[in-house]
Amino acid sequence: MFKKKSLLLSSALFLGLAGCSTGEKTESGSSGGGGDQITVDIFQYKVEFKEQFEELATDYEEENPGVKINVQTLGGGNDYMAALKAKFASGEEPDIFNIYGAVDIEQYRDRLADLKDTKAAGQALEGTLSGVEQEGEVLGLPFNQEGYGLIYNKEIFEKAGVDPASIKSMEDLTKAVKTIDSKKEELKIDAAFALPAKEKWVTGNHAASAFLASDFKNDVLTAFEAKEVPFTNGDAFKEYLDLQNKYSVQPVVSLDYSQQVEELFSTGRVAMIQQGNWIYPTVEQMDPELAESGIGIMPIPLNDEMKMPVGVPNYWSVNKKADEQVQQAAADFLDWMYISDTGKEAVLTQFKFIPAYEGYDTEKISDPLSKEIYKYSEEGDTTAWVFPSYPIGWGENVLGANIQKYLVGEATWEETIKTAQDEWAKARN
Amino acid sequence: MKSKDFSFWLFLSPAMIGLGLVVLIPLLYGFYYSFTDWDGVNQTEFIGMRNYINILSDQDFLYSLWFTFKFSIVSVIVINVMGLGLAMLVTSYIKSKNILRTIFFMPNLIGGLILGFIWQFVFTKVFDAVGRMTGIGWLQGWLSDTQTGFWGMVILMSWQMAGYIMIIYIAYLENVPKDLLEAAEIDGANAIQRFRNITFPLVAPAFTVSLFLTLSNAFKIYDQNLSLTNGGPFNSTTMVSMDIVDTAFKMNQMASAQAKAVIFFMIVAIISLTQVYINKKREVEM
């Protein structure tokens, strides 16, 4: 009896093992290349351009018959990182995957091939590689550039008699908001702002980054190496949050992204929101007219400085553990996507990206928000996105959560900053 | 006997293999990883009990444990009272009891994530609108503080689970012999006495099952938590499961999350088994 049991158990185990090993075999077969066909497996996060990207990959396959591009897409945020982790853990490692920046480099360091010699790396705009440069190696190629600030409804501003171009400082903004608020009834709006404090990435990552960037000399790497966060602009940050909170649709801590963008902003119920150029397709879906000519973006004012936070949301990386041949094919594909004319065209008109590379006809940038952001980027009037360099989880779980606490009055601003500083120090020391 | 032995194990094997592959082996792996510093990708190092020691001083984890505990107690009581109440309703002599059974059971057929979003809409939109129209203050601003987040979760969970638990109670209620109840009635027992002295003891086995199910489900709740409050505001409605997932996938501390999961597993196992043991002793046989 006992023998039977162990026999069965062992056969069960054996079956399990067999299952695993077959999985591995097919995998190594597909990415190993072997014969004439090289397969490049891409695992990427940007759902928004899945179809366009797959089309571009097909175009590439037609131009290069020896290469097959396999695209797999899995939705943004934490889900992607978790799924990527699962892929690596199960042995089904993709050949090209996405990383967010310095923090992910730490975890995937052994898997990241050096892309310094690619043409794309040579043409990347200044500053766009700083998040992925380590020990002289370039470990990723930027997807695109994105920027965020205060997106406003031109019509409401006009009716209220506020000229957005005249806003040059926090003081101006406060005045403008007060003017708008006093005419709430005539303008038929619920409030001046919609502050989605439920989305901890909006407050803890984006808003905070605009005020923290100068603490780290505006440099992603300095932020990544910083043992402490000084919060030099803590008061300015408080002023900014207070202003939004006071003149926002309430309750802010249960206000989420879709309410903010779709329900309130796209329908003209609030005058402005803090978001980035990624909301453009959503607004376009809700109200094409408003999207095309009715919205503009201005930077988040830091005292009397107006600089647009522009950064690279994501990087393409090539798996160092893949076959040499596959690595080369992967790098070639990325080069082609960003450097060739077909690729450039697709990047601008199909993907609707703000390019992170030189040599693009920027007149073709399709939406007004992106255009505006690119203008700031060209003039160098930008601050770096330092939030990808926060300690893991700090931006949302620590700072974002404590900002919620502050907004509902359960903590003072001093406590909020103190907790955030302590947690940063704890994570980095 | 010998051949019977073989076929016994043969028939059992599909279930055993399934259980082994998806439950037992991962569980053992989990125990192992909880003693390492695995981050999900890189090679691991054995670090002994350090993860467990760190957890004891992890305020967030202890808070979520306490929060889950409170939530479980309240929702177990609410669900069982509601479930039993509904079961008594649909086994009584009212018309349309079949359709009522279906309706009460329906919420259980909807996935937890979707339920969460539905109730999020109800709490933040419908409650708010009603509150604004009638001027009732406590209906406004739901899910924006810990209190309403907590009760929101309890309401959601009860609404979902009560129908399921009702089915279990129905099965037992219908097995209560009518002649016993009739005899008691002739002897002059009123409805409350009949319920307390006859129905209740005979339905006791159902309590064992229902309490076990509700208790373990309430402790393990995740998707409802994710879609309804997502732990907010300020992580104050984060339940243990969510804290574990966050540790693993947001903070990249797989091993430490695994250690939390092991502790959580033990707590749930101990509480559930103790409850089953106590209730089993109190059951009466016909």
Side-chain angles (χ1 to χ4, degrees):
Chain A
M1 165 97 183
F2 180 73
K3 260 186 194 159
K4 285 254 168 58
K5 213 197 275 180
S6 54
L7 186 102
L8 257 155
L9 257 173
S10 58
S11 61
L13 279 171
F14 175 73
L15 268 172
L17 285 173
C20 293
S21 62
T22 42
E24 249 160 53
K25 228 173 263 164
T26 45
E27 166 57 23
S28 59
S30 74
S31 68
D36 21 316
Q37 187 93 356
I38 296 176
T39 305
V40 178
D41 288 314
I42 301 181
F43 186 55
Q44 66 98 15
Y45 88 108
K46 207 169 174 70
V47 203
E48 295 89 339
F49 84 145
K50 171 177 181 286
E51 276 165 41
Q52 293 90 328
F53 184 59
E54 280 167 4
E55 262 168 47
L56 187 73
T58 323
D59 288 348
Y60 184 74
E61 285 173 354
E62 273 164 25
E63 271 185 43
N64 302 271
V67 183
K68 195 171 160 12
I69 310 274
N70 251 339
V71 181
Q72 217 189 335
T73 304
L74 197 133
N78 297 305
D79 299 333
Y80 176 77
M81 286 329 281
L84 183 65
K85 213 172 286 170
K87 274 198 171 283
F88 275 104
S90 72
E92 272 194 49
E93 305 191 5
D95 303 317
I96 298 182
F97 56 97
N98 304 148
I99 56 170
Y100 285 118
V103 170
D104 293 330
I105 289 182
E106 201 172 14
Q107 193 167 35
Y108 291 99
R109 188 70 179 87
D110 304 342
R111 302 290 205 297
L112 303 174
D114 182 13
L115 299 170
K116 191 174 58 201
D117 299 329
T118 56
K119 288 189 210 113
Q123 298 197 11
L125 291 179
E126 208 194 311
T128 53
L129 288 177
S130 61
V132 285
E133 270 176 327
Q134 261 187 25
E135 297 147 20
E137 292 189 324
V138 174
L139 303 170
L141 295 172
F143 248 74
N144 60 341
Q145 294 193 83
E146 283 183 348
Y148 58 83
L150 295 169
I151 299 180
Y152 56 89
N153 186 319
K154 285 182 183 165
E155 201 191 323
I156 295 175
F157 267 64
E158 208 173 296
K159 274 194 199 155
V162 180
D163 178 14
S166 73
I167 297 174
K168 293 271 175 246
S169 65
M170 193 63 207
E171 214 176 303
D172 296 343
L173 180 70
T174 313
K175 234 185 278 163
V177 170
K178 280 188 179 146
T179 315
I180 292 171
D181 187 69
S182 66
K183 297 178 185 166
K184 238 170 29 181
E185 309 277 294
E186 306 162 40
L187 297 168
K188 293 204 193 80
I189 54 172
D190 293 9
F193 278 110
L195 171 66
K198 183 177 184 190
E199 308 290 355
K200 289 172 271 184
W201 53 272
V202 173
T203 50
N205 284 353
H206 290 175
S209 173
F211 295 92
L212 290 177
S214 62
D215 281 351
F216 308 116
K217 300 190 201 104
N218 232 331
D219 181 53
V220 184
L221 218 59
T222 316
F224 180 62
E225 282 160 0
K227 296 263 181 263
E228 261 155 27
V229 51
F231 266 104
T232 321
N233 296 314
D235 291 338
F237 186 25
K238 175 178 187 289
E239 202 185 338
Y240 172 69
L241 276 179
D242 286 346
L243 180 73
Q244 281 202 71
N245 188 26
K246 191 172 168 198
Y247 297 104
S248 167
V249 175
Q250 299 287 341
V252 289
V253 285
S254 58
L255 199 106
D256 63 18
Y257 177 71
S258 94
Q259 271 174 288
Q260 180 202 25
V261 177
E262 292 166 24
E263 242 184 271
L264 296 169
F265 185 70
S266 299
T267 54
R269 282 168 60 189
V270 295
M272 64 184 129
I273 56 174
Q274 180 210 311
Q275 272 307 342
N277 58 308
W278 50 84
I279 71 161
Y280 184 78
T282 313
V283 180
E284 197 183 21
Q285 258 174 11
M286 301 283 295
D287 186 349
E289 222 174 289
L290 176 73
E292 213 165 291
S293 56
I295 53 177
I297 184 167
M298 63 178 143
I300 296 169
L302 164 54
N303 301 324
D304 48 7
E305 226 174 75
M306 296 286 274
K307 285 189 171 174
M308 189 78 79
V310 176
V312 176
N314 237 295
Y315 296 88
W316 296 105
S317 285
V318 174
N319 192 342
K320 206 180 190 174
K321 297 260 161 95
D323 255 39
E324 290 274 324
Q325 248 183 326
V326 176
Q327 281 186 42
Q328 189 55 48
D332 287 346
F333 171 70
L334 292 176
D335 260 353
W336 179 84
M337 176 160 73
Y338 286 113
I339 304 300
S340 78
D341 289 337
T342 329
K344 276 182 183 169
E345 179 75 22
V347 165
L348 279 179
T349 58
Q350 302 293 314
F351 300 175
K352 303 197 159 108
F353 278 177
I354 306 176
Y357 300 91
E358 288 165 12
Y360 277 78
D361 178 8
T362 48
E363 277 308 301
K364 282 192 185 155
I365 296 178
S366 45
D367 71 85
L369 299 180
S370 301
K371 241 181 212 155
E372 190 75 10
I373 290 165
Y374 191 79
K375 211 185 325 167
Y376 276 93
S377 156
E378 246 180 352
E379 285 162 13
D381 263 349
T382 57
T383 59
W385 284 14
V386 290
F387 62 86
S389 301
Y390 292 167
I392 297 169
W394 184 83
E396 295 192 35
N397 282 355
V398 179
L399 186 57
N402 278 291
I403 286 175
Q404 289 180 336
K405 226 177 198 173
Y406 166 69
L407 290 174
V408 297
E410 294 235 347
T412 65
W413 184 249
E414 285 70 36
E415 283 166 355
T416 306
I417 301 263
K418 182 85 178 40
T419 321
Q421 282 175 323
D422 290 350
E423 289 292 323
W424 181 298
K426 213 164 86 186
R428 284 284 158 86
N429 288 302
Chain B
M1 191 61 209
K2 233 182 153 78
S3 63
K4 200 178 172 190
D5 247 2
F6 179 69
S7 59
F8 174 75
W9 285 108
L10 188 71
F11 280 119
L12 207 56
S13 63
M16 290 289 281
I17 291 170
L19 196 70
L21 284 180
V22 302
V23 177
L24 288 179
I25 294 175
L27 187 71
L28 294 178
Y29 260 110
F31 275 114
Y32 164 71
Y33 278 127
S34 69
F35 296 106
T36 66
D37 64 351
W38 191 43
D39 68 353
V41 178
N42 296 312
Q43 292 293 318
T44 56
E45 208 176 297
F46 198 76
I47 56 167
M49 296 297 287
R50 211 186 305 156
N51 283 326
Y52 289 92
I53 294 164
N54 288 342
I55 287 170
L56 291 180
S57 61
D58 183 341
Q59 287 304 323
D60 291 341
F61 179 68
L62 297 178
Y63 174 85
S64 69
L65 204 58
W66 174 233
F67 188 80
T68 313
F69 195 71
K70 281 193 294 190
F71 167 78
S72 302
I73 303 276
V74 174
S75 55
V76 162
I77 294 169
V78 174
I79 292 169
N80 281 285
V81 169
M82 267 173 69
L84 186 59
L86 293 178
M88 307 245 299
L89 183 73
V90 299
T91 49
S92 65
Y93 297 101
I94 57 162
K95 282 175 194 164
S96 71
K97 59 183 180 186
N98 278 328
I99 183 109
L100 280 181
R101 283 183 195 192
T102 317
I103 291 174
F104 293 147
F105 188 68
M106 220 119 74
N108 199 57
L109 298 175
I110 309 173
L113 267 181
I114 300 165
L115 272 187
F117 287 122
I118 294 173
W119 277 97
Q120 192 186 57
F121 174 77
V122 173
F123 288 136
T124 57
K125 293 280 143 60
V126 181
F127 272 38
D128 198 54
V130 173
R132 226 174 272 180
M133 265 191 298
T134 55
I136 302 173
W138 61 267
L139 278 176
Q140 295 174 30
W142 268 64
L143 306 186
S144 64
D145 57 45
T146 316
Q147 283 299 317
T148 52
F150 177 82
W151 288 106
M153 290 295 301
V154 171
I155 292 171
L156 164 61
M157 181 78 178
S158 313
W159 191 68
Q160 186 186 17
M161 282 286 287
Y164 185 70
I165 297 305
M166 171 192 80
I167 299 285
I168 296 173
Y169 282 123
I170 289 174
Y172 282 88
L173 279 174
E174 298 208 317
N175 277 336
V176 175
K178 293 279 178 295
D179 45 351
L180 268 183
L181 291 170
E182 240 169 73
E185 201 177 350
I186 291 165
D187 286 343
N190 63 27
I192 296 169
Q193 283 170 327
R194 284 199 307 265
F195 177 75
R196 249 191 59 198
N197 296 317
I198 299 175
T199 314
F200 194 79
L202 284 173
V203 176
F207 283 107
T208 317
V209 180
S210 303
L211 283 176
F212 174 75
L213 281 175
T214 46
L215 200 62
S216 61
N217 272 342
F219 264 105
K220 293 186 305 192
I221 190 167
Y222 175 72
D223 36 2
Q224 291 90 336
N225 193 191
L226 182 74
S227 56
L228 190 71
T229 66
N230 197 6
F234 48 89
N235 299 341
S236 64
T237 60
T238 307
M239 307 257 182
V240 184
S241 302
M242 190 176 231
D243 185 66
I244 292 171
V245 174
D246 284 355
T247 314
F249 292 107
K250 286 193 185 156
M251 311 297 270
N252 283 344
Q253 296 165 354
M254 282 282 180
S256 147
Q258 197 55 60
K260 286 181 182 181
V262 168
I263 292 183
F264 181 46
F265 165 73
M266 298 215 185
I267 292 173
V268 176
I270 289 169
I271 292 178
S272 304
L273 293 179
T274 318
Q275 175 265 324
V276 170
Y277 176 74
I278 293 171
N279 270 325
K280 270 269 181 225
K281 279 213 308 204
R282 295 181 41 206
E283 282 173 18
V284 289
E285 295 282 334
M286 275 288 291

